């Protein structure tokens, strides 16, 4: 049957090709210019506004609702739902990867989904989103850059723009159109597990670097080759939640209990500058502001963001973000869409107790038909989404640019990441000018659980959602980096637990955190763990000079140990290019990083932020030594 239809289509096409210019003409048609015969929305010579209005006028309610629906690919019940449910967007959540996690397979997967989308009645391409938050971090073999906290300490907008430009190239190399980045949270409490996703605790650093990131992803202008859509997140106040009000009684997804004045002063500037840079999408935040969920707030999403700030892109909800609004699912949908959410990240996680996208579609349709959501609100949402798709050139270039696929993880890209690592390190202590070390020492001992662990130095949002210890992808550990830069005559010993320090000239001990993301990283205790303390004690007892490197997503509490250390570097979560750390250790780069976050002395000081009335951190905001 399908065969016959297909053959009929072929015959019809041949017929049109042969007789098309005369077939079906009405009297007077000859006076119309040939261009007017092309369907307006398919015609790239037409203005985006004309194309959007033309397409919108052809769409049924189901097709419009489909555009507003975003599903994680792993929860697609059938791939054909992309066409039959008119889905407007797919995403890969953290770790939602094709079976074979290689750039090529990602590109093949993307093209396959896109082909299905294009086979629908109106042939509207999907927009595919992913968390490329420090490089294209779900993809094995991609270049992994330092997490934002490190880039905040580098505080170099040109660097951030370049990092984002390269991330965009790698994302585009797998076909993907859209990154849920930059995260322009302003983390005000180090206990929050997402602290490392923000550039720093002050709004001006976040505004400066967030703008640069948007420029890098979108190449200044949507639709230029190799660029992707950016998404500033999470609107608004995600970094300001009060400890104890969040998930599991901690910080993440909690309540930001501050005045409107403070909300605007601290958490809004990043959005002003992202919008100025032309950011095409913004993600709503899980947190509440004084008891109201951002996802439910018409005041925040519509009055403030769209009307007062004039944001013309679209607002996407966070993963099951509307589900947490009080009331049943249908009520959640009505509240969220009326508040100003344009696209809903459903994402369809039924196996994990989430709502199915078919139910979402059904309930949204019901709500519109019964008048609980005005049709004008639906049209506004779809207009915003379609406008971005047209501006991105998706209708003209829906498939992967394969020339970019092979450049994923290339030497040139990794060189930029290595430079980013060098610039992000902060030298906090350097007694008697111990650093930089000579490359010609006889014997160096390297120790600590984070010295030779690629997964640990990459942190969360790497290959999987929470991240993982071990060799999760391709890259160079800090130990390997050290071995690369020292002279061939130098012996580099590695002992994870710090035994055997006696015979070495110097010890480099790399301690800190292991990977986490979101609420799983919320921690009431940020002191060093027992393994780190034991390793440090062992090395210290050998009586040789001791350099400590902390690999972590935030400042850790070290006041009772630091006096034992001769030198200290905060390396944050540097990513795959461990040589960047070695470059600083051995003087190929004179450190320039400065703290973008106050370094507390004790847990009881947290939250602590620059500008506080009583301000007595271990290291002040802006602190950092050079050689
Ligand atoms: C996070 C977002 C992320 C989304 C998709 C959510 O849990 O809060 O930052 O973009 O998942 O992975
Ligand atoms: C996904 C993440 C998402 C999280 C939220 C995970 O399963 O992989 O992307 O942010 O769920 O709960």
């Amino acid at each position: 049957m399908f065969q016959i239809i297909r053959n009929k289509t072929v015959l019809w096409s041949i017929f049109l090709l042969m007789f098309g210019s005369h077939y079906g003409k009405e009297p007077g048609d000859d006076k119309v210019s040939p261009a007017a015969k092309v369907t307006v929305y398919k015609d790239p010579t037409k203005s985006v506004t004309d194309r959007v209005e033309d397409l919108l006028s052809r769409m049924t309610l189901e097709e419009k609702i489909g555009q507003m629906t975003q599903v994680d690919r792993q929860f697609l019940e059938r791939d054909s739902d992309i066409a039959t449910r008119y889905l407007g967007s797919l995403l890969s959540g953290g770790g939602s990867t094709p079976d074979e996690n290689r750039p090529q397979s990602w590109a093949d997967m993307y093209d396959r989904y896109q082909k299905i989308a294009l086979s629908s009645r109106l042939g509207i391409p999907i927009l595919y989103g992913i968390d490329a938050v420090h490089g294209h971090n779900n993809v094995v073999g991609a270049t992994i850059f330092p997490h934002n906290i490190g880039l905040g300490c580098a505080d170099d907008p040109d660097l951030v723009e370049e990092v984002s430009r390269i991330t965009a190239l790698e994302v585009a190399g797998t076909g993907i159109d859209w990154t849920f980045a930059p995260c322009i949270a302003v983390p005000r409490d180090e206990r929050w597990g997402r602290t490392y996703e923000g550039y720093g605790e002050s709004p001006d650093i976040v505004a400066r670097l967030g703008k640069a990131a948007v420029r890098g992803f979108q190449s200044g202008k949507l639709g230029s080759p190799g660029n992707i859509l950016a998404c500033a997140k999470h609107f608004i106040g995600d970094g300001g939640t009060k400890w104890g009000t969040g998930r599991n009684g901690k910080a993440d997804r909690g309540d930001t209990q501050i005045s409107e004045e403070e909300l605007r002063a601290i958490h809004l500037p990043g959005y002003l500058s992202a919008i100025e840079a032309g950011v095409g999408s913004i993600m709503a935040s899980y947190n509440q502001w004084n008891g109201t969920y951002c996802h439910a707030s018409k005041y925040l999403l519509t009055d403030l963001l769209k009307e007062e700030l004039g944001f013309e892109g679209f607002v996407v909800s966070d993963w099951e973000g509307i589900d947490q609004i009080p009331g049943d699912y249908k009520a959640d949908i009505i509240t969220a869409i009326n508040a100003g959410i344009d696209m809903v990240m459903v994402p369809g996680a039924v196996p994990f107790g989430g709502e199915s996208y078919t139910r979402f579609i059904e309930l949204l349709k019901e709500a519109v038909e019964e008048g609980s959501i005005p049709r004008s609100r639906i049209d506004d949402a779809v207009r915003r989404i379609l406008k971005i798709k047209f501006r991105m050139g998706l209708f003209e270039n829906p498939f992967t640019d394969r020339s970019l696929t092979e450049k994923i993880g290339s030497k040139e890209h990794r060189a930029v990441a290595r430079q980013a690592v060098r610039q992000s390190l902060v030298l906090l202590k350097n007694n008697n000018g111990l650093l930089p070390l000579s490359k010609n020492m006889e014997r160096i001992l390297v120790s600590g659980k984070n010295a030779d662990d690629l997964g640990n130095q990459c942190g969360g949002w790497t290959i999987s959602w929470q991240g993982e210890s071990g060799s999760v992808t391709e890259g160079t550990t800090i130990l390997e980096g050290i071995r690369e830069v020292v002279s061939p005559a130098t012996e580099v010993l590695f002992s994870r637990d710090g035994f055997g320090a006696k015979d070495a000239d110097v010890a480099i001990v790399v301690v800190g955190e292991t990977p986490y993301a979101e609420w799983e990283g919320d921690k009431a205790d940020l002191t060093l763990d027992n393994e780190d303390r034991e390793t440090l004690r062992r090395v210290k007892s050998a009586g040789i000079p001791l350099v400590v490197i902390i690999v972590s997503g935030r400042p850790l509490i070290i006041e009772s140990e630091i006096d034992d250390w001769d030198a200290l570097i905060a390396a944050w979560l540097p990513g795959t290019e461990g040589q960047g750390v070695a470059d600083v250790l051995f003087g190929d780069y004179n450190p320039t990083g400065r703290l973008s976050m106050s370094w507390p002395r004790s847990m009881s000081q947290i939250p602590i932020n620059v500008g506080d009335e009583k301000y007595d951190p271990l290291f002040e905001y802006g602190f950092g030594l050079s050689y």
Side-chain angles (χ1 to χ4, degrees), residues 344-516:
V344 174
M345 189 187 291
V346 179
V350 180
F352 302 100
E355 300 285 351
S356 76
Y357 57 90
T358 46
R359 195 166 132 75
F360 168 79
I361 288 169
E362 197 180 294
L363 293 175
L364 177 49
K365 188 169 172 228
E366 241 177 67
V368 176
E369 281 170 344
E370 75 193 20
S372 305
I373 299 173
R375 282 177 196 262
S376 57
R377 175 74 268 278
I378 300 294
D379 284 350
D380 172 53
V382 177
R383 249 188 212 110
R384 286 169 178 270
I385 295 164
L386 291 178
K387 190 167 80 181
I388 294 290
K389 289 188 176 183
F390 281 117
R391 282 179 53 203
M392 290 178 70
L394 268 178
F395 286 76
E396 285 68 57
N397 298 301
F399 296 113
T400 311
D401 177 348
R402 300 281 172 154
S403 70
L404 296 174
T405 315
E406 66 208 37
K407 300 207 180 102
I408 293 174
S410 69
K411 255 212 194 120
E412 302 81 67
H413 293 183
R414 288 178 189 276
V416 175
R418 179 173 179 171
Q419 178 61 20
V421 175
R422 295 165 149 199
Q423 288 186 234
S424 66
L425 265 44
V426 184
L427 178 63
L428 292 172
K429 179 173 181 181
N430 194 18
N431 277 6
N432 310 318
L434 174 60
L435 297 178
L437 300 172
S438 154
K439 290 181 182 174
N440 298 309
M441 273 185 278
E442 214 171 301
R443 207 168 289 125
I444 298 175
L445 176 85
V446 179
S447 292
K449 67 170 189 273
N450 289 343
D452 191 28
D453 194 306
L454 202 59
N456 288 1
Q457 73 189 46
C458 288
W461 297 108
T462 309
I463 311 306
S464 59
W465 174 42
Q466 292 289 323
E468 218 180 301
S469 298
S471 35
V472 293
T473 185
E474 292 154 22
T476 308
T477 66
I478 294 171
L479 172 67
E480 288 163 351
I482 292 170
R483 289 200 160 124
E484 260 182 44
V485 310
V486 296
S487 91
T490 302
E491 193 183 345
V492 180
L493 303 165
F494 175 62
S495 122
R496 175 177 165 131
D497 42 21
F499 287 107
K502 264 207 194 68
D503 305 326
D505 304 311
V506 68
I508 301 167
V509 183
V510 191
V511 295
E513 295 189 307
T514 52
Y516 55 80

Side-chain angles (χ1 to χ4, degrees), residues 93 131 180 194 233-234 253 283 286 318-319 345 518:
D131 296 282
F180 305 128
R194 307 192 77 155
K233 72 186 188 185
H234 312 78
R253 307 185 174 194
M283 188 184 291
Y286 283 126
D318 202 344
W319 181 286
M345 189 187 291
E518 299 195 47

Side-chain angles (χ1 to χ4, degrees), residues 18-316:
M18 292 170 70
F19 307 105
S21 53
H22 296 287
Y23 179 76
K25 272 195 179 168
E26 302 290 330
D29 267 9
D30 281 342
K31 290 185 206 107
V32 182
S33 74
K37 304 301 282 178
V38 183
T39 311
V40 173
Y41 82 87
K42 288 184 178 161
D43 180 355
T45 67
K46 290 283 185 296
S47 74
V48 166
T49 313
D50 288 351
R51 297 178 79 184
V52 169
E53 292 310 318
D54 177 62
L55 179 49
L56 197 66
S57 72
R58 297 168 192 267
M59 293 169 80
T60 62
L61 180 59
E62 283 86 349
E63 284 165 332
K64 290 177 184 175
I65 287 173
Q67 284 303 304
M68 298 170 68
T69 308
Q70 187 186 49
V71 177
D72 187 314
R73 55 154 288 287
Q74 66 184 310
F75 304 126
L76 275 171
E77 287 161 37
R78 294 155 227 93
D79 289 357
S80 57
D81 279 359
I82 297 169
T84 57
R85 300 278 175 177
Y86 315 109
L87 300 182
S89 180
L90 292 180
L91 87 146
S92 275
S96 180
T97 74
D99 292 341
E100 190 201 21
N101 191 343
R102 286 272 141 203
Q104 196 69 40
S105 330
W106 281 87
D108 294 345
M109 174 178 82
Y110 174 90
D111 285 353
R112 185 162 52 78
Y113 291 144
Q114 191 62 284
K115 217 177 263 163
I116 300 172
L118 296 176
S119 75
S120 65
R121 187 177 76 95
L122 294 165
I124 306 174
I126 45 158
L127 192 59
Y128 197 116
I130 198 164
D131 296 282
V133 298
H134 62 144
H136 197 5
N137 46 67
N138 282 286
V139 178
V140 171
T143 308
I144 306 293
F145 294 89
H147 267 296
N148 283 353
I149 189 172
L151 297 179
C153 293
D155 194 12
D156 177 351
D158 292 340
L159 174 76
V160 169
E161 186 169 340
E162 183 67 355
V163 164
S164 311
R165 194 183 65 80
I166 287 173
T167 301
L169 288 174
E170 298 207 356
V171 170
T174 57
I176 296 178
D177 317 291
W178 180 19
T179 177
F180 305 128
C183 177
I184 51 172
V186 186
R188 303 287 285 177
D189 185 326
E190 286 76 19
R191 290 169 292 186
W192 186 38
R194 307 192 77 155
T195 297
Y196 65 79
E197 294 189 58
Y199 295 111
E201 73 191 25
S202 83
D204 47 304
I205 276 206
V206 171
R208 185 158 58 237
L209 300 183
K211 186 183 210 166
V214 171
R215 263 196 247 115
F217 290 131
Q218 298 187 173
S219 297
K221 188 178 165 287
L222 276 178
S224 331
N227 83 9
I228 57 174
L229 176 64
C231 182
K233 72 186 188 185
H234 312 78
F235 189 79
I236 182 178
D238 48 355
T241 59
K242 188 177 163 59
W243 181 263
T245 63
R247 196 170 170 130
N248 305 329
K250 294 179 180 169
D252 196 38
R253 307 185 174 194
D255 192 14
T256 296
Q257 301 175 353
I258 54 176
S259 68
E260 176 151 1
E261 196 188 346
E262 200 179 332
L263 185 80
R264 284 176 181 259
I266 294 177
H267 301 282
L268 195 61
Y271 292 94
L272 294 173
S273 74
I275 291 170
E276 213 178 290
V279 72
S281 71
I282 289 178
M283 188 184 291
S285 188
Y286 283 126
N287 66 275
Q288 298 165 261
W289 175 45
N290 294 328
T292 303
Y293 283 101
C294 293
H295 279 84
S297 174
K298 180 158 186 291
Y299 174 67
L300 293 175
L301 299 178
T302 300
D303 302 353
L304 173 58
L305 180 58
K306 291 180 177 172
E307 278 161 22
E308 187 186 322
L309 305 189
F311 172 60
E312 291 181 350
F314 68 89
V315 177
V316 63

